Amino acid sequence: ICVLKSYQKRGLGEFTLNKLIERTQKELHINSVVVYLNNSQSKEFFEKTGFKECGEGEYVFDGETRQGVKLMK
């Protein structure tokens, strides 16, 4: 999810994420996300919406292995 800087801090990203989470949990049974290890802003955003960190490791992002943090709801 990407929100233009001029629209950030208005709750749009959180609202969109919550709707996306509701649908993915219900229809796809997905309850976790992985963010880049060095992306603290993204990690804080997911934690704000109720996700909890459950570990760090190597994950594949667009075919490239990178360090990431897994968060679950």
Side-chain angles (χ1 to χ4, degrees):
I1 297 172
C2 183
V3 177
L4 292 172
K5 195 157 192 80
S6 59
Y7 289 95
Q8 292 177 5
K9 307 291 183 192
R10 298 181 187 188
L12 296 171
E14 185 175 357
F15 174 81
T16 304
L17 178 64
N18 284 328
K19 292 298 180 186
L20 179 62
I21 291 166
E22 286 175 22
R23 192 158 186 185
T24 56
Q25 285 179 328
K26 180 179 178 182
E27 297 177 18
L28 303 174
H29 309 290
I30 296 172
N31 63 353
S32 65
V33 296
V34 176
V35 298
Y36 293 139
L37 186 61
N38 63 349
N39 190 342
S40 60
Q41 187 175 6
S42 181
K43 182 176 175 272
E44 289 170 10
F45 175 76
F46 281 104
E47 289 174 332
K48 178 180 169 186
T49 60
F51 281 80
K52 305 284 185 215
E53 183 178 335
C54 62
E56 295 179 7
E58 290 187 344
Y59 298 91
V60 178
F61 297 93
D62 293 326
E64 182 181 335
T65 301
R66 302 210 26 203
Q67 291 288 69
V69 177
K70 185 175 184 179
L71 300 125
M72 295 185 75
K73 187 157 186 158

Coordinates of all heavy atoms in Angstrom, one line a residue:
I1 N 0.9 -1.2 0.0 CA 0.0 0.0 0.0 C 0.9 1.2 0.0 O 1.8 1.3 0.8 CB -0.9 0.0 1.2 CG1 -1.9 -1.2 1.2 CG2 -1.7 1.3 1.3 CD1 -2.7 -1.3 2.5
C2 N 0.6 2.1 -0.9 CA 1.4 3.4 -0.9 C 0.4 4.6 -0.9 O -0.5 4.6 -1.7 CB 2.2 3.4 -2.2 SG 3.3 4.8 -2.3
V3 N 0.6 5.5 0.0 CA -0.2 6.7 0.1 C 0.7 7.9 -0.3 O 1.8 8.0 0.3 CB -0.8 6.8 1.5 CG1 -1.7 8.1 1.6 CG2 -1.7 5.6 1.8
L4 N 0.2 8.7 -1.2 CA 1.0 9.9 -1.5 C 1.3 10.7 -0.2 O 0.4 10.8 0.7 CB 0.2 10.8 -2.5 CG 0.0 10.3 -3.9 CD1 -1.0 11.2 -4.7 CD2 1.3 10.2 -4.6
K5 N 2.5 11.3 -0.2 CA 2.9 12.0 1.0 C 1.9 13.1 1.4 O 1.7 13.3 2.6 CB 4.3 12.6 0.8 CG 5.0 13.1 2.0 CD 6.5 13.1 1.8 CE 7.2 13.3 3.1 NZ 7.4 12.1 3.9
S6 N 1.3 13.7 0.5 CA 0.4 14.8 0.8 C -0.9 14.3 1.4 O -1.7 15.1 2.0 CB 0.1 15.7 -0.4 OG -0.5 14.8 -1.5
Y7 N -1.2 13.0 1.3 CA -2.4 12.4 1.9 C -2.1 11.5 3.2 O -3.0 11.0 3.8 CB -3.1 11.6 0.9 CG -3.8 12.4 -0.2 CD1 -3.1 12.7 -1.4 CD2 -5.0 12.9 0.0 CE1 -3.7 13.4 -2.3 CE2 -5.6 13.7 -0.9 CZ -5.0 14.0 -2.1 OH -5.6 14.7 -3.1
Q8 N -0.8 11.4 3.5 CA -0.4 10.6 4.7 C -0.8 11.3 6.0 O -1.1 12.5 6.0 CB 1.1 10.4 4.7 CG 1.6 9.5 3.6 CD 3.1 9.3 3.5 OE1 3.8 9.7 4.4 NE2 3.5 8.6 2.5
K9 N -0.9 10.5 7.0 CA -1.3 10.9 8.4 C -2.7 11.4 8.5 O -3.1 12.2 9.3 CB -0.4 12.1 8.9 CG 1.1 11.8 8.8 CD 1.5 10.7 9.8 CE 3.0 10.5 9.7 NZ 3.5 9.4 10.4
R10 N -3.6 10.8 7.6 CA -5.0 11.1 7.6 C -5.9 9.9 7.9 O -7.1 9.9 7.8 CB -5.5 11.8 6.3 CG -4.8 13.1 6.0 CD -5.3 13.7 4.7 NE -4.5 14.9 4.4 CZ -4.8 15.6 3.4 NH1 -5.9 15.4 2.7 NH2 -4.1 16.7 3.1
G11 N -5.2 8.7 8.1 CA -5.9 7.5 8.3 C -6.3 6.7 7.1 O -6.9 5.7 7.2
L12 N -5.9 7.2 5.9 CA -6.3 6.5 4.6 C -5.6 5.2 4.5 O -6.2 4.2 4.1 CB -5.9 7.4 3.4 CG -6.7 8.7 3.3 CD1 -6.1 9.6 2.2 CD2 -8.2 8.4 3.1
G13 N -4.3 5.1 4.8 CA -3.6 3.9 4.7 C -4.1 2.9 5.7 O -4.3 1.7 5.4
E14 N -4.4 3.3 6.9 CA -4.9 2.4 8.0 C -6.2 1.8 7.6 O -6.5 0.6 7.7 CB -4.9 3.1 9.3 CG -5.3 2.2 10.4 CD -5.3 2.9 11.8 OE1 -4.9 4.1 11.9 OE2 -5.6 2.2 12.8
F15 N -7.1 2.7 7.1 CA -8.4 2.3 6.6 C -8.3 1.3 5.5 O -9.0 0.2 5.6 CB -9.3 3.5 6.2 CG -10.6 3.1 5.6 CD1 -11.7 2.8 6.4 CD2 -10.8 3.0 4.2 CE1 -12.9 2.5 5.8 CE2 -12.0 2.7 3.6 CZ -13.0 2.4 4.5
T16 N -7.5 1.6 4.5 CA -7.4 0.6 3.4 C -6.8 -0.7 3.8 O -7.2 -1.7 3.4 CB -6.5 1.3 2.3 OG1 -7.0 2.6 1.9 CG2 -6.3 0.4 1.1
L17 N -5.8 -0.6 4.7 CA -5.1 -1.8 5.2 C -6.1 -2.7 6.0 O -6.2 -3.9 5.8 CB -3.9 -1.5 6.1 CG -3.2 -2.7 6.7 CD1 -2.6 -3.6 5.6 CD2 -2.2 -2.3 7.7
N18 N -6.9 -2.1 6.8 CA -7.9 -2.8 7.6 C -8.9 -3.5 6.7 O -9.3 -4.7 7.0 CB -8.6 -1.9 8.6 CG -7.7 -1.6 9.8 OD1 -6.9 -2.4 10.2 ND2 -7.9 -0.5 10.4
K19 N -9.4 -2.9 5.7 CA -10.3 -3.5 4.7 C -9.6 -4.7 4.0 O -10.2 -5.7 3.8 CB -10.8 -2.5 3.7 CG -11.7 -1.5 4.3 CD -13.0 -2.2 4.9 CE -13.9 -1.2 5.5 NZ -15.0 -1.8 6.2
L20 N -8.3 -4.5 3.6 CA -7.6 -5.5 2.9 C -7.4 -6.7 3.8 O -7.5 -7.9 3.4 CB -6.2 -4.9 2.4 CG -5.3 -5.9 1.7 CD1 -6.0 -6.4 0.4 CD2 -4.0 -5.2 1.4
I21 N -7.0 -6.5 5.1 CA -6.8 -7.5 6.0 C -8.1 -8.3 6.2 O -8.1 -9.6 6.2 CB -6.3 -7.0 7.4 CG1 -4.9 -6.4 7.3 CG2 -6.4 -8.0 8.5 CD1 -4.5 -5.5 8.4
E22 N -9.2 -7.6 6.4 CA -10.5 -8.3 6.6 C -10.8 -9.3 5.4 O -11.2 -10.4 5.7 CB -11.7 -7.3 6.6 CG -11.8 -6.5 7.9 CD -12.9 -5.5 7.8 OE1 -13.8 -5.6 7.0 OE2 -12.8 -4.5 8.6
R23 N -10.5 -8.8 4.3 CA -10.8 -9.6 3.1 C -9.8 -10.8 2.9 O -10.3 -11.9 2.6 CB -10.8 -8.8 1.8 CG -11.4 -9.5 0.6 CD -11.9 -8.5 -0.4 NE -12.5 -9.2 -1.4 CZ -13.0 -8.6 -2.5 NH1 -12.9 -7.4 -2.7 NH2 -13.5 -9.4 -3.4
T24 N -8.6 -10.5 3.1 CA -7.6 -11.6 2.9 C -7.7 -12.7 4.0 O -7.5 -13.9 3.8 CB -6.1 -11.1 2.9 OG1 -5.9 -10.3 4.1 CG2 -5.9 -10.2 1.7
Q25 N -8.0 -12.3 5.2 CA -8.2 -13.3 6.3 C -9.5 -14.1 6.0 O -9.4 -15.3 6.2 CB -8.4 -12.6 7.7 CG -7.0 -12.1 8.2 CD -7.2 -11.4 9.5 OE1 -8.2 -10.7 9.9 NE2 -6.1 -11.5 10.3
K26 N -10.5 -13.5 5.6 CA -11.8 -14.2 5.3 C -11.7 -15.1 4.1 O -12.1 -16.3 4.1 CB -12.9 -13.2 5.1 CG -14.3 -13.8 4.9 CD -15.3 -12.7 4.7 CE -16.7 -13.3 4.4 NZ -17.7 -12.2 4.2
E27 N -11.1 -14.6 3.0 CA -11.2 -15.3 1.7 C -9.9 -16.1 1.5 O -10.0 -17.2 0.8 CB -11.4 -14.3 0.6 CG -12.8 -13.6 0.7 CD -13.0 -12.6 -0.4 OE1 -12.3 -12.7 -1.5 OE2 -13.9 -11.8 -0.2
L28 N -8.8 -15.7 1.9 CA -7.5 -16.4 1.6 C -6.8 -17.0 2.8 O -5.8 -17.7 2.7 CB -6.5 -15.4 0.9 CG -7.1 -14.7 -0.3 CD1 -6.1 -13.7 -0.8 CD2 -7.3 -15.8 -1.4
H29 N -7.4 -16.7 4.0 CA -6.8 -17.2 5.3 C -5.3 -16.8 5.5 O -4.5 -17.5 6.0 CB -7.0 -18.7 5.4 CG -8.4 -19.1 5.1 ND1 -9.4 -18.9 6.0 CD2 -8.9 -19.8 4.0 CE1 -10.5 -19.4 5.5 NE2 -10.3 -19.9 4.3
I30 N -5.0 -15.5 5.1 CA -3.7 -15.0 5.3 C -3.7 -14.1 6.5 O -4.6 -13.2 6.6 CB -3.3 -14.2 4.0 CG1 -3.1 -15.1 2.8 CG2 -2.0 -13.4 4.3 CD1 -2.9 -14.4 1.5
N31 N -2.8 -14.3 7.4 CA -2.7 -13.5 8.6 C -1.3 -12.9 8.9 O -1.1 -12.6 10.1 CB -3.3 -14.3 9.8 CG -2.4 -15.5 10.1 OD1 -1.5 -15.8 9.4 ND2 -2.8 -16.1 11.2
S32 N -0.5 -12.9 7.9 CA 0.9 -12.3 8.2 C 1.4 -11.5 7.0 O 0.9 -11.7 5.9 CB 1.9 -13.5 8.5 OG 2.0 -14.3 7.3
V33 N 2.3 -10.7 7.3 CA 3.0 -9.9 6.3 C 4.5 -9.9 6.6 O 4.9 -10.2 7.7 CB 2.5 -8.4 6.3 CG1 1.1 -8.3 5.9 CG2 2.8 -7.7 7.6
V34 N 5.3 -9.6 5.6 CA 6.8 -9.5 5.8 C 7.2 -8.1 5.2 O 6.8 -7.7 4.1 CB 7.5 -10.6 5.0 CG1 9.0 -10.4 5.2 CG2 7.1 -12.0 5.6
V35 N 7.9 -7.4 6.0 CA 8.4 -6.1 5.5 C 10.0 -6.1 5.6 O 10.6 -6.9 6.3 CB 7.9 -4.9 6.4 CG1 6.4 -4.8 6.3 CG2 8.4 -5.0 7.9
Y36 N 10.6 -5.3 4.7 CA 12.1 -5.2 4.7 C 12.5 -4.9 6.2 O 11.9 -4.1 6.9 CB 12.6 -4.1 3.8 CG 12.3 -4.4 2.3 CD1 11.9 -3.3 1.5 CD2 12.6 -5.6 1.8 CE1 11.7 -3.5 0.1 CE2 12.4 -5.8 0.4 CZ 12.0 -4.8 -0.4 OH 11.8 -5.0 -1.7
L37 N 13.6 -5.5 6.6 CA 14.2 -5.3 7.9 C 14.5 -3.9 8.2 O 14.2 -3.4 9.3 CB 15.4 -6.2 8.1 CG 16.1 -6.2 9.4 CD1 15.1 -6.8 10.5 CD2 17.3 -7.0 9.4
N38 N 14.9 -3.1 7.2 CA 15.3 -1.7 7.4 C 14.2 -0.7 7.2 O 14.4 0.5 7.2 CB 16.5 -1.4 6.5 CG 16.2 -1.5 5.0 OD1 15.1 -2.0 4.7 ND2 17.1 -1.0 4.2
N39 N 13.0 -1.2 7.0 CA 11.8 -0.4 6.8 C 11.0 -0.2 8.1 O 9.9 -0.7 8.2 CB 10.9 -0.9 5.7 CG 9.9 0.1 5.2 OD1 9.6 1.0 5.9 ND2 9.3 -0.2 4.1
S40 N 11.6 0.6 9.0 CA 10.9 0.8 10.3 C 9.6 1.5 10.2 O 8.7 1.2 11.0 CB 11.9 1.5 11.3 OG 12.2 2.8 10.8
Q41 N 9.4 2.4 9.3 CA 8.2 3.1 9.1 C 7.1 2.1 8.7 O 6.0 2.2 9.3 CB 8.3 4.2 8.1 CG 7.1 5.1 7.9 CD 7.3 6.2 7.0 OE1 8.3 6.3 6.3 NE2 6.4 7.1 6.9
S42 N 7.3 1.2 7.8 CA 6.3 0.2 7.4 C 6.0 -0.7 8.6 O 4.8 -1.0 8.9 CB 6.8 -0.6 6.2 OG 5.8 -1.5 5.8
K43 N 7.0 -1.2 9.3 CA 6.8 -2.0 10.5 C 6.0 -1.4 11.5 O 5.0 -2.0 12.1 CB 8.2 -2.4 11.1 CG 8.1 -3.4 12.2 CD 9.5 -3.8 12.7 CE 9.4 -4.6 13.9 NZ 9.4 -3.9 15.1
E44 N 6.3 -0.1 11.8 CA 5.5 0.6 12.8 C 4.0 0.8 12.4 O 3.1 0.7 13.2 CB 6.1 2.0 13.0 CG 7.4 2.0 13.8 CD 8.1 3.3 13.8 OE1 7.5 4.3 13.4 OE2 9.3 3.3 14.2
F45 N 3.8 1.0 11.1 CA 2.5 1.1 10.5 C 1.7 -0.2 10.8 O 0.5 -0.1 11.2 CB 2.5 1.4 9.0 CG 1.2 1.5 8.4 CD1 0.4 2.6 8.5 CD2 0.8 0.4 7.6 CE1 -0.9 2.6 7.9 CE2 -0.5 0.5 6.9 CZ -1.3 1.6 7.1
F46 N 2.3 -1.3 10.4 CA 1.6 -2.6 10.6 C 1.3 -2.8 12.1 O 0.3 -3.3 12.5 CB 2.3 -3.7 10.0 CG 2.1 -3.8 8.5 CD1 3.1 -3.4 7.6 CD2 0.9 -4.3 8.0 CE1 2.9 -3.5 6.3 CE2 0.7 -4.4 6.6 CZ 1.7 -4.0 5.8
E47 N 2.3 -2.5 13.0 CA 2.1 -2.7 14.4 C 1.0 -1.8 14.9 O 0.2 -2.2 15.8 CB 3.4 -2.4 15.2 CG 4.4 -3.5 14.9 CD 5.8 -3.2 15.5 OE1 6.1 -2.0 15.7 OE2 6.5 -4.1 15.8
K48 N 0.8 -0.6 14.4 CA -0.3 0.3 14.8 C -1.6 -0.3 14.5 O -2.6 0.0 15.2 CB -0.1 1.6 14.0 CG -1.1 2.6 14.3 CD -0.9 3.9 13.5 CE -2.0 4.8 13.5 NZ -1.8 6.0 12.6
T49 N -1.7 -1.2 13.5 CA -3.0 -1.8 13.1 C -3.2 -3.2 13.7 O -4.1 -3.9 13.3 CB -3.1 -1.9 11.6 OG1 -2.1 -2.7 11.0 CG2 -3.1 -0.5 10.9
G50 N -2.3 -3.5 14.7 CA -2.5 -4.7 15.5 C -1.6 -5.9 15.1 O -1.8 -7.0 15.7
F51 N -0.7 -5.7 14.2 CA 0.3 -6.8 13.9 C 1.3 -6.9 15.0 O 1.7 -5.8 15.5 CB 0.9 -6.6 12.6 CG 0.0 -7.0 11.4 CD1 -1.0 -6.1 11.0 CD2 0.2 -8.2 10.7 CE1 -1.8 -6.5 9.9 CE2 -0.6 -8.5 9.7 CZ -1.6 -7.7 9.2
K52 N 1.8 -8.1 15.2 CA 2.9 -8.3 16.2 C 4.1 -9.0 15.5 O 3.9 -9.9 14.7 CB 2.5 -9.2 17.4 CG 1.2 -8.7 18.1 CD 1.5 -7.5 19.0 CE 0.3 -7.1 19.8 NZ 0.2 -5.8 20.1
E53 N 5.3 -8.5 15.8 CA 6.5 -9.1 15.2 C 6.6 -10.5 15.7 O 6.5 -10.8 16.9 CB 7.7 -8.3 15.6 CG 9.0 -8.8 15.0 CD 10.2 -8.0 15.3 OE1 10.1 -6.8 15.6 OE2 11.3 -8.6 15.2
C54 N 6.9 -11.5 14.8 CA 7.1 -12.9 15.2 C 8.4 -13.4 14.7 O 8.6 -14.6 14.8 CB 5.9 -13.7 14.8 SG 5.6 -13.8 13.0
G55 N 9.3 -12.6 14.1 CA 10.6 -13.1 13.8 C 11.2 -12.4 12.6 O 10.5 -11.7 11.8
E56 N 12.5 -12.6 12.5 CA 13.3 -12.0 11.4 C 13.9 -13.2 10.6 O 14.1 -14.3 11.1 CB 14.4 -11.1 11.9 CG 14.0 -9.9 12.6 CD 15.2 -9.1 13.1 OE1 16.3 -9.4 12.8 OE2 14.9 -8.1 13.8
G57 N 14.1 -12.9 9.3 CA 14.7 -14.0 8.5 C 15.0 -13.5 7.1 O 14.8 -12.3 6.8
E58 N 15.3 -14.4 6.2 CA 15.5 -14.1 4.8 C 14.3 -14.5 4.1 O 13.7 -15.6 4.2 CB 16.7 -14.9 4.3 CG 18.0 -14.5 4.8 CD 19.2 -15.2 4.1 OE1 19.0 -16.2 3.4 OE2 20.3 -14.7 4.3
Y59 N 13.8 -13.5 3.3 CA 12.6 -13.7 2.5 C 12.9 -13.3 1.0 O 13.8 -12.5 0.8 CB 11.4 -12.9 3.0 CG 11.1 -13.3 4.5 CD1 11.7 -12.7 5.6 CD2 10.1 -14.3 4.7 CE1 11.3 -13.1 6.9 CE2 9.8 -14.7 6.0 CZ 10.4 -14.1 7.0 OH 10.0 -14.4 8.3
V60 N 12.1 -13.8 0.1 CA 12.3 -13.4 -1.3 C 11.3 -12.3 -1.7 O 10.1 -12.5 -1.5 CB 12.1 -14.7 -2.2 CG1 12.2 -14.3 -3.7 CG2 13.1 -15.8 -1.8
F61 N 11.8 -11.2 -2.1 CA 11.0 -10.1 -2.6 C 11.4 -9.9 -4.0 O 12.5 -9.5 -4.4 CB 11.4 -8.8 -1.8 CG 11.1 -8.8 -0.3 CD1 12.1 -9.2 0.6 CD2 9.9 -8.4 0.2 CE1 11.8 -9.2 2.0 CE2 9.6 -8.5 1.5 CZ 10.6 -8.9 2.4
D62 N 10.4 -10.0 -4.9 CA 10.6 -9.8 -6.3 C 11.9 -10.6 -6.8 O 12.7 -10.1 -7.6 CB 10.8 -8.3 -6.7 CG 9.5 -7.6 -6.5 OD1 8.4 -8.2 -6.7 OD2 9.6 -6.4 -6.1
G63 N 12.0 -11.8 -6.4 CA 13.1 -12.7 -6.9 C 14.4 -12.5 -6.2 O 15.4 -13.1 -6.5
E64 N 14.5 -11.6 -5.3 CA 15.7 -11.2 -4.6 C 15.6 -11.6 -3.1 O 14.6 -11.2 -2.5 CB 16.0 -9.7 -4.8 CG 17.3 -9.3 -4.1 CD 17.6 -7.8 -4.3 OE1 17.0 -7.2 -5.2 OE2 18.3 -7.2 -3.5
T65 N 16.6 -12.3 -2.5 CA 16.6 -12.6 -1.1 C 17.0 -11.4 -0.3 O 18.1 -10.9 -0.6 CB 17.5 -13.8 -0.8 OG1 17.0 -14.9 -1.6 CG2 17.4 -14.2 0.6
R66 N 16.2 -11.1 0.7 CA 16.5 -9.9 1.5 C 16.1 -10.2 3.0 O 15.3 -11.1 3.2 CB 15.8 -8.7 1.1 CG 16.1 -8.3 -0.4 CD 16.0 -6.9 -0.8 NE 16.3 -5.9 0.2 CZ 15.8 -4.7 0.0 NH1 15.1 -4.3 -1.0 NH2 16.1 -3.7 0.9
Q67 N 16.7 -9.5 3.9 CA 16.3 -9.7 5.3 C 14.9 -9.0 5.5 O 14.7 -7.9 5.0 CB 17.3 -9.0 6.2 CG 18.7 -9.7 6.2 CD 18.6 -11.1 6.9 OE1 17.9 -12.0 6.5 NE2 19.2 -11.1 8.1
G68 N 14.1 -9.7 6.3 CA 12.8 -9.1 6.5 C 12.3 -9.5 7.9 O 12.9 -10.3 8.6
V69 N 11.2 -8.8 8.3 CA 10.6 -9.0 9.6 C 9.2 -9.5 9.3 O 8.4 -8.9 8.5 CB 10.5 -7.7 10.4 CG1 9.7 -7.9 11.7 CG2 11.9 -7.2 10.7
K70 N 8.8 -10.7 9.9 CA 7.4 -11.2 9.7 C 6.6 -10.7 10.9 O 7.0 -10.7 12.0 CB 7.5 -12.7 9.7 CG 6.1 -13.4 9.4 CD 6.2 -14.9 9.3 CE 4.9 -15.5 8.9 NZ 5.0 -16.9 8.8
L71 N 5.4 -10.2 10.5 CA 4.4 -9.7 11.5 C 3.1 -10.5 11.3 O 2.7 -10.8 10.1 CB 4.2 -8.2 11.3 CG 5.4 -7.4 11.4 CD1 5.6 -6.5 10.2 CD2 5.3 -6.5 12.7
M72 N 2.5 -10.8 12.4 CA 1.2 -11.6 12.3 C 0.1 -10.8 13.0 O 0.4 -10.1 14.0 CB 1.3 -13.0 12.9 CG 2.3 -13.9 12.1 SD 2.3 -15.5 12.7 CE 0.8 -16.1 12.1
K73 N -1.1 -11.1 12.6 CA -2.3 -10.5 13.2 C -3.2 -11.5 13.8 O -3.3 -12.6 13.3 CB -3.1 -9.6 12.2 CG -4.2 -8.9 12.9 CD -4.6 -7.7 12.1 CE -5.6 -6.9 12.8 NZ -5.7 -5.5 12.4

